[in-house]
Amino acid sequence: FPSFEGWTPSVPTGKTVEYGSAAHEILEKIGMRETAETCFVLVAGGLGERLGYSGIKVALPVERATNACYLELYVKNILAMEKRAEGAEGATNAGGCGCFGGGGAKAKSSTKIPLAIMTSEDTHALTLDLLERNDYFGASRDQITLMKQEKVPCLMDNDARLAVKDDDPYKLALKPHGHGDVHSLLHTSGLLSKWMSQGKKWVVFFQDTNSLVFRVIPGALGVSKTMNLEFNSLCVPRKAKEAVGAISLLTHEDGRKMTINVEYNQLDPLLRATTNPEGDVNDATGFSPFPGNINQLIVSLPEYAKQLKKTGGAIEEFVNPKYKDETKTAFKSPTRLECMMQDYPKSLGSKAKVGFTVFANWIGYSPVKNSPADGLAKFKSNGPTHTATSGEFEFYESCANLLRLAGADVPAAAVDAEFNGMKLPMGPRVVLGPDVATSFDELKSKVGAVKLGAKSALVVEGSGVNLKNVEVDGALVIKACEGAEVIVDGLKVTNKGWQWKPTGKGAPEVDALAGFVVKKNETAEYVFDKPGKYTLP
């Protein structure tokens, strides 16, 4: 890893935002006005091998209530934002979402919100196939661009001798270069110039298996706008010495400054050697003042495009070898040069406005990156498991908590079942589809007297659904097409509902990853597939 000799760390400029607070609602409204001028970049070069999944990670189901995969969730979130941006802006500012056919002035631009996906040799064809088979999940084909990352030669030792393939001494051994390549790909593809010509202002980078990130993007865009940030790292609260990189302002002896990610095992000794003999410690909030980096980034497009014209998008490289023996000269296995997307600010000058936005984990961060076995080991050591199991439960709980904040009566999650050896909190299984609401202000306007049983399942899809008065003890599914306005007022559902049942040995791959299957015993399902006005019951 890079050396920080001569640098002194301090807490950088940034904002900690409490979701649902008055301050958050102001920032979110500002951010929602920026979404029409925002571009999205998904970093999806990895297979699911670490998860124990044979496919690409973006094809993995987010949850089993609807079986929507990650790529579908992301595309539909972008389309939902696009619809609000192109819709009745006046109605939105008046407190409604403008999605029930209300009037109001049109947004300035009807340009589609673009999505670029960085793939690799391993994932490119599979990602394209996933999009093709699903008709791009409703997006237009010219709205989504795939950029394939190439591999780089591997090194054998400290002298940087090139490694060759085991089965062919005349071919170089190649490995991925790291997700920092996304910057050079955006530059060489011409996308930045294209987006600039369309009047875009922001680029949001996000990872392949974090189902919650779109909940916090509007608020974080609001922070970027109000603080005039060129580079904004989305973060989570971080305990001192927790094994998560930390966003830090580094000041060099010669006066240079940069705000970047510093790995946790570098931050603590650096603090001890410079400003604090105790190293990285929690403050009065119970967390370290250095927030945890989650590699979801927002950059200001004009400055970003200008900088990449200078650098070509090249990012500082590093090598992280495992050595054969104590001489530390030869590597145990061929090792690649790597670069990381979050190191982009290293190329900026000291005057660049670089900061962070912190949201709580429950609303913005639930990665799925560990296999059941690795997750179980982390569970036993009281750490976050980051498995398909935890990712699904955290998605339901995030939706349930949104309903609670909006005034609904939703029981707290409880630990009452075990899957893949892990006992994790599980409450009512709530799925609020991307088009239900793209901001908390909009969601509040659609949630009235809602009451859910402890083991109930509620799935809502469609921007026109208004949960005015509903009680669920069992399973309820409401799906409304574009143009269908559904007022749910006085609906009471009591049925046998759904069960999350542990899997046995020999279960199909996706079931085994989650550790359960969903047995849908009984469901009250209402599907409105034609535009119009409807009431339930």
Side-chain angles (χ1 to χ4, degrees):
F1 286 104
S3 169
F4 292 118
E5 187 176 349
W7 295 91
T8 298
S10 59
V11 181
T13 299
K15 192 174 288 290
T16 298
V17 184
E18 181 185 352
Y19 192 92
S21 65
H24 168 248
E25 289 193 48
I26 292 170
L27 289 168
E28 195 173 54
K29 285 180 180 178
I30 294 169
M32 284 301 298
R33 292 197 290 268
E34 299 297 310
T35 55
E37 296 163 327
T38 299
C39 313
F40 289 88
V41 179
L42 169 59
V43 179
L47 289 168
E49 292 169 331
R50 182 175 164 189
L51 283 170
Y53 180 53
S54 61
I56 53 174
K57 289 191 281 185
V58 291
L60 193 69
V62 176
E63 37 76 18
R64 306 304 298 280
T66 70
N67 277 315
C69 71
Y70 279 92
L71 188 53
E72 177 181 358
L73 180 72
Y74 297 148
V75 172
K76 288 187 174 178
N77 268 289
I78 290 170
L79 293 178
M81 285 184 172
E82 180 182 286
K83 186 167 77 173
R84 272 68 174 179
E86 293 181 344
E89 191 175 59
T92 304
N93 293 338
C97 70
C99 47
F100 296 160
K106 288 284 182 182
K108 290 180 182 178
S109 172
S110 61
T111 305
K112 292 185 179 297
I113 297 177
L115 168 65
I117 304 175
M118 185 177 82
T119 60
S120 65
E121 189 69 40
D122 295 326
T123 67
H124 187 84
L126 293 169
T127 304
L128 182 59
D129 178 63
L130 181 62
L131 288 166
E132 294 277 357
R133 281 189 288 110
N134 293 280
D135 197 23
Y136 286 68
F137 299 107
S140 58
R141 289 171 181 254
D142 62 355
Q143 191 170 355
I144 299 178
T145 304
L146 270 57
M147 313 177 296
K148 190 170 78 168
Q149 175 190 28
E150 302 299 333
K151 294 181 179 180
V152 294
C154 299
L155 310 177
M156 295 174 61
D157 52 33
N158 285 349
D159 292 328
R161 288 192 299 161
L162 296 176
V164 296
K165 286 188 171 183
D166 292 336
D167 59 353
D168 189 340
Y170 299 102
K171 287 187 177 180
L172 292 173
L174 304 175
K175 287 187 177 180
H177 191 218
H179 48 50
D181 278 353
V182 70
H183 301 295
S184 61
L185 286 170
L186 284 169
H187 174 67
T188 57
S189 67
L191 279 176
L192 298 184
S193 298
K194 180 180 177 181
W195 292 344
M196 287 283 288
S197 71
Q198 294 172 345
K200 301 299 185 185
K201 293 182 180 177
W202 308 99
V203 183
V204 176
F205 297 84
F206 63 104
Q207 300 289 328
D208 48 14
T209 52
N210 178 16
S211 64
L212 305 182
V213 65
F214 278 84
R215 299 288 185 196
V216 299
I217 284 172
L221 275 170
V223 172
S224 286
K225 176 71 173 177
T226 56
M227 296 185 70
N228 199 25
L229 296 179
E230 291 180 36
F231 187 94
N232 182 3
S233 293
L234 274 67
C235 297
V236 293
R238 175 185 158 277
K239 291 286 188 180
K241 302 178 181 65
E242 186 179 349
V244 177
I247 301 300
S248 311
L249 170 60
L250 299 182
T251 303
H252 197 267
E253 294 167 347
D254 62 13
R256 285 177 292 148
K257 294 178 184 288
M258 61 179 179
T259 298
I260 60 163
N261 175 72
V262 178
E263 293 303 323
Y264 72 97
N265 54 359
Q266 294 179 295
L267 177 63
D268 187 66
L270 192 58
L271 283 166
R272 291 176 186 275
T274 53
T275 60
N276 189 347
E278 295 182 3
D280 185 21
V281 294
N282 294 329
D283 60 20
T285 66
F287 292 95
S288 168
F290 295 90
N293 171 48
I294 60 172
N295 269 358
Q296 327 284 324
L297 315 169
I298 300 177
V299 300
S300 176
L301 178 54
E303 293 91 342
Y304 180 59
K306 184 178 179 181
Q307 180 67 11
L308 262 56
K309 279 185 178 179
K310 294 180 187 175
T311 66
I315 299 297
E316 181 180 296
E317 297 174 310
F318 65 96
V319 62
N320 187 24
K322 291 180 173 58
Y323 288 101
K324 273 186 179 178
D325 52 40
E326 293 178 358
T327 64
K328 291 191 174 182
T329 54
F331 304 155
K332 186 180 290 186
S333 61
T335 301
R336 60 176 175 159
L337 281 169
E338 298 180 61
C339 60
M340 299 189 292
M341 59 190 275
Q342 66 268 31
D343 282 346
Y344 165 75
K346 287 183 178 180
S347 69
L348 302 177
S350 295
K351 294 182 180 179
K353 294 183 178 178
V354 181
F356 66 82
T357 304
V358 175
F359 280 96
N361 292 63
W362 73 264
I363 190 62
Y365 187 55
S366 177
V368 173
K369 56 186 179 181
N370 293 324
S371 68
D374 290 342
L376 181 58
K378 292 181 181 295
F379 172 78
K380 288 179 177 178
S381 62
N382 296 317
T385 66
H386 294 163
T387 57
T389 316
S390 63
E392 176 154 352
F393 293 169
E394 287 165 5
F395 182 81
Y396 296 143
E397 180 59 17
S398 182
C399 291
N401 209 33
L402 284 169
L403 290 181
R404 292 185 193 105
L405 282 178
D409 182 356
V410 182
V415 179
D416 61 0
E418 180 179 301
F419 304 106
N420 284 339
M422 296 173 283
K423 294 181 178 179
L424 301 171
M426 195 173 179
R429 286 60 148 170
V430 181
V431 177
L432 301 175
D435 203 27
V436 170
T438 56
S439 69
F440 184 59
D441 191 48
E442 181 183 349
L443 181 67
K444 282 196 306 181
S445 72
K446 298 179 178 181
V447 175
V450 175
K451 184 176 183 180
L452 304 182
K455 294 186 177 181
S456 294
L458 173 65
V459 176
V460 184
E461 296 180 3
S463 62
V465 180
N466 190 316
L467 302 175
K468 192 172 182 180
N469 187 340
V470 59
E471 189 172 331
V472 184
D473 184 11
L476 170 63
V477 175
I478 303 174
K479 298 180 180 181
C481 72
E482 180 69 18
E485 179 182 342
V486 183
I487 306 297
V488 187
D489 189 4
L491 180 65
K492 290 190 176 183
V493 172
T494 303
N495 57 38
K496 294 178 182 178
W498 300 349
Q499 291 175 281
W500 272 247
K501 299 179 72 69
T503 53
K505 290 184 178 180
E509 185 178 52
V510 172
D511 296 342
L513 280 177
F516 54 75
V517 292
V518 180
K519 184 180 179 184
K520 297 183 178 180
N521 299 313
E522 198 173 359
T523 309
E525 184 170 11
Y526 300 91
V527 178
F528 301 89
D529 55 5
K530 294 179 181 178
K533 294 190 175 184
Y534 305 90
T535 57
L536 278 177

